Amino acid sequence: MPAWTDQLRFAFQPVVNLSTGSVAALEILARPEPGEVDVLATARRCPDLDAELAALAVRTAAHHETLLPLHVNVFATTVAELPRLAALGKAVHDIGRRPWEITLDLVGPFTHVPRAALLESVAVLRDEGYRICADGVGDGDLSLRLLGELAPDLVKLDASLCARLDTDRGRQAAVAAMRQLCERIGGLLAIEGVESERQYAAVREAGVQLAQGHLFAPPARRPATEIYLPPPAVRAVNGPAVPYRPPSGPPVAQFLQPAALLPMSASAGAVRSHLTGFPEVSGVLLVDTDGVPVRAIDRDRFLLSLSGRYGHALYADRPALRLADRPRTVGADATAWQVLDVIAEGDRDRTGDDVAVVDERGRCMGVVHLADIVRALAESRVEEAARLNPLTRLPGSDEVNGEVDRRIAEGRAFALSWLDVDGFKQVNDGAGFAAGDELIRSVGRTLAGVAAGEPACRVGHIGGDDFLVLTEPDGLEPFAAALLDVAWSAGGRPVSLSLATAVCPPGGVGGHHAAAAALAPLKKAAKALPGASWVLGRPGSQRTEIRRGSPLRVPGPAGPGFPAPPGQSGALPPGQVGRAVG
């Protein structure tokens, strides 16, 4: 071995899956010995040395006989100059690992790295099966443009973003933006530096899927098989510590567990030795030379077959294929609901079998366990039910506000509307609260019915007689027609509705608070119109458009987002009723 190998040691730190509470992988960290030459500083300037360091890291992991996937740090310069990382590839082959069990954590600096060469090298490594992680995001020189072009499988946020995440709105916004980016590119979001239970709750609430930190386990000379996980009761400052879940269901990659892989030629005896040697393994996948699952072996059924009369004599030295089933697989972009569909379509006696997750070339990335999927979906349903208004079964403002912030982060235009019943207190006083409740339920059903045909729409019941509607700017008319062009009544008394809409172009507002503030004066203007009414405006513009209603005088826009010019009230002058003015 080269002399420099005596100047450092390696430590292992678990990467924790926050959805399953299990160790998803191990990051291997090089630690130079005190007083010795800093090998890492030299490797930063010498790609060949850096590649040898990565190779030594995986060889060191092999001595500990861990089955967990590995994270290996490599400088971006090294990847750009050595497209195939031959030394690492040889080490992975020599220890019997496969490239798709290795995640390459790309470490900066990135500023002077040739962009085209880096992207080409990453494409080559990804084609060989390696997973790519952008490391230290948020406190380095990795530009957003390059981050988007890399489209990494994993974005790992720097530990500096984890500090004060529970109280710092700026850091919360930064993490939310990265969460949105990961959703769009199909990657996972990780963070380093989780040191306390408050930070743990904050990262879960922010939607982070993987985490590292001393709270779970510090770096150690031997791989950690047990970690500390805070109890479910731990809560963040702003509410329950539950991960963000997209409307279509949590992604299956969020529940990924390491897979036990053996070649198709493996004997039943070899499989048995593997299962008895690693009691935590629930099954084995037999894969071809490309890592594509060909057969699946369930632990319980396999061991039962071998333990039966003459079982060992019949099968031990024969191919394990005889006791295997066809694997059940889903793509890496599948959701938890799609996993349930795959399980439901299979044989009933295989309900508890693992489901293999494969990449676009069919190579196994890991497995998901039914128990993790069912638990997550059950929690999702409970959380969803807790957020629904008991009268209309519509979500509250949080879901709509969250979607507003996501569209702002994406740079998308949107229209946010505020709907309410005119004189609702008088409706309740005159017709009774039961009639008022039925009216609110009817309005909620109408909103939900229209929203069902508008995929980009979100509706929410704020409380009382107030509703929120979020649509594309050109998706408002179906709601207006269904709500304003029909006769409403409560207890035989005619009732009218008012609708106020703020159409927000990209960059028009900074967040859902600003959008809500822009709606307030428009709502006041709409309610000043007799009968069913609809007033529309845009942040930063003095132009107010009346889509429904015929007033003689309407208060113009004012307040946050709609400043009135000096000396003007913003009121519609006579003769311009029912038209847009500006």
Side-chain angles (χ1 to χ4, degrees), residues 50 55 125 170 207 233 236 252 277 282 286 407 417 445 461 469 484 514 560 580 582:
D50 191 33
L125 291 168
V252 69
S282 56
L286 303 179
R407 296 190 189 189
S417 299
R445 284 194 295 268
H461 185 180
V469 180
L484 305 179

Side-chain angles (χ1 to χ4, degrees), residues 51-72:
E52 289 290 347
L53 267 176
L56 182 59
V58 299
R59 292 183 189 277
T60 301
H63 294 316
H64 296 282
E65 298 182 343
T66 175
L67 293 176
L68 289 166
L70 305 174
H71 283 238
V72 180

Side-chain angles (χ1 to χ4, degrees), residues 252-313:
V252 69
Q254 188 170 309
F255 308 98
L256 204 62
Q257 301 271 29
L261 307 178
L262 289 176
M264 287 175 54
S265 59
S267 67
V271 172
R272 181 179 181 277
S273 297
H274 196 86
L275 292 175
T276 54
F278 299 98
E280 71 278 7
V281 172
S282 56
V284 170
L285 291 172
L286 303 179
V287 297
D288 63 16
T289 54
D290 293 323
V292 176
V294 178
R295 288 291 186 272
I297 295 176
D298 174 73
R299 178 188 191 90
D300 293 338
R301 291 199 301 275
F302 178 85
L303 293 179
L304 183 63
S305 297
L306 259 66
S307 63
R309 192 176 185 184
Y310 309 122
H312 188 271

Side-chain angles (χ1 to χ4, degrees), residues 226-253:
E226 295 184 0
I227 58 171
Y228 169 73
L229 200 69
V234 172
R235 293 290 181 264
V237 168
N238 297 322
V242 295
Y244 163 74
R245 302 186 192 280
S248 58
V252 69

Side-chain angles (χ1 to χ4, degrees), residues 40-99:
L40 295 181
T42 305
R44 190 180 203 173
R45 302 185 298 270
C46 179
D48 288 322
L49 175 59
D50 191 33
E52 289 290 347
L53 267 176
L56 182 59
V58 299
R59 292 183 189 277
T60 301
H63 294 316
H64 296 282
E65 298 182 343
T66 175
L67 293 176
L68 289 166
L70 305 174
H71 283 238
V72 180
N73 293 285
V74 184
F75 287 111
T77 305
T78 301
V79 174
E81 295 192 21
L82 303 175
R84 307 194 75 90
L85 296 179
L88 175 63
K90 184 177 186 306
V92 171
H93 179 271
D94 289 347
I95 67 174
R97 286 279 197 165
R98 299 167 177 82

Side-chain angles (χ1 to χ4, degrees), residues 397-436:
S397 59
D398 287 349
E399 182 170 321
V400 178
N401 290 338
E403 182 63 22
V404 167
D405 288 338
R406 283 188 285 278
R407 296 190 189 189
I408 291 172
E410 291 178 358
R412 294 168 56 187
F414 62 89
L416 184 64
S417 299
W418 190 343
L419 173 79
D420 75 346
V421 178
D422 296 327
F424 185 62
K425 184 178 185 305
Q426 288 73 29
V427 172
N428 272 344
D429 290 345
F433 70 86

